Amino acid sequence: PTLHRQAAHWYNEEGYVHEAITHALAAKDFSLVISVMEREAHRLWIQGEAKMVATWVLMLPDDIIREHLDITLTSALHMLLRTQSLPEIPRTDALMKSEQILVRVEQTLLTAEENVLVPSETIRWHHRIRVLREFVMMSDAFREGDVRQVRFLAQQIQPLVVEEAVAWKWIPLYG
């Protein structure tokens, strides 16, 4: 673990994100993993590496996920944003990975001790989970050409994203 930790820090300082995270995960240095992910995730998502970020998220222990629900759920969002144009097999894989993230978050929220999460934040996380699941249904309806269902789901999502960041607000516009 010491060698992996040293390598992770060196790679991080040199700007080698993938290598830094890989070694930090091997060293179980999750504070470095999440630090690098939070700093670099946006760039990685833009570069089309949503799957890699989601894979790293799924390797984190529950306590780290609980402390970093924003990047966890946003990584699922970015996985789903890319599914519409994918062929069936990669789309199914992306949907499964996103669902794994949602299940982990739900389990984390269920097992969170009293007073660990502020009630308003808990509601926000549950809203995001609902938005993501309804986005999947919206995407399916779109692929099937069911415009009425797409619009209905968009209307359901709209009030849930009013207070959210821009990445979340565009989802109802999809409908």
Side-chain angles (χ1 to χ4, degrees):
T2 302
L3 188 57
H4 281 297
R5 185 172 284 111
Q6 291 171 341
H9 284 278
W10 185 85
Y11 280 122
N12 181 41
E13 290 169 10
E14 296 299 317
Y16 295 101
V17 175
H18 294 82
E19 294 82 355
I21 291 177
T22 299
H23 284 283
L25 284 166
K28 298 188 185 318
D29 187 347
F30 300 117
S31 62
L32 180 60
V33 172
I34 202 71
S35 172
V36 174
M37 282 177 51
E38 286 179 333
R39 185 185 73 231
E40 299 292 337
H42 184 71
R43 182 179 60 78
L44 293 168
W45 290 324
I46 288 172
Q47 292 175 342
E49 296 198 57
K51 184 177 180 180
M52 188 79 262
V53 175
T55 298
W56 291 331
V57 163
L58 287 168
M59 296 172 84
L60 296 171
D62 288 347
D63 61 321
I64 300 296
I65 289 201
R66 185 180 312 109
E67 294 170 14
H68 300 276
L69 290 168
D70 185 48
I71 192 167
T72 301
L73 288 169
T74 303
S75 72
L77 170 65
H78 283 275
M79 282 293 296
L80 292 174
L81 292 178
R82 283 138 181 85
T83 62
Q84 187 61 38
S85 61
L86 290 175
E88 199 57 38
I89 292 174
R91 180 174 185 271
T92 301
D93 291 344
L95 291 172
M96 286 181 2
K97 192 169 289 272
S98 296
E99 182 60 22
Q100 288 173 327
I101 291 171
L102 296 181
V103 168
R104 285 281 306 280
V105 170
E106 287 173 325
Q107 290 171 344
T108 298
L109 291 173
L110 285 174
T111 60
E113 298 175 18
E114 292 288 324
N115 302 323
V116 172
L117 297 170
V118 178
S120 62
E121 283 296 299
T122 302
I123 291 168
R124 178 180 182 217
W125 305 131
H126 283 292
H127 280 179
R128 280 191 178 187
I129 291 166
R130 180 175 164 202
V131 165
L132 291 170
R133 290 218 166 98
E134 290 191 9
F135 180 61
V136 170
M137 291 187 291
M138 216 165 89
S139 178
D140 290 341
F142 180 82
R143 287 171 74 95
E144 295 167 7
D146 189 347
V147 177
R148 184 173 291 148
Q149 181 67 4
V150 170
R151 287 190 180 137
F152 171 77
L153 291 166
Q155 290 171 351
Q156 298 299 308
I157 292 171
Q158 180 65 43
L160 302 176
V161 296
V162 170
E163 301 294 322
E164 285 290 352
V166 173
W168 294 86
K169 287 184 179 197
W170 85 267
I171 293 173
L173 301 176
Y174 186 65

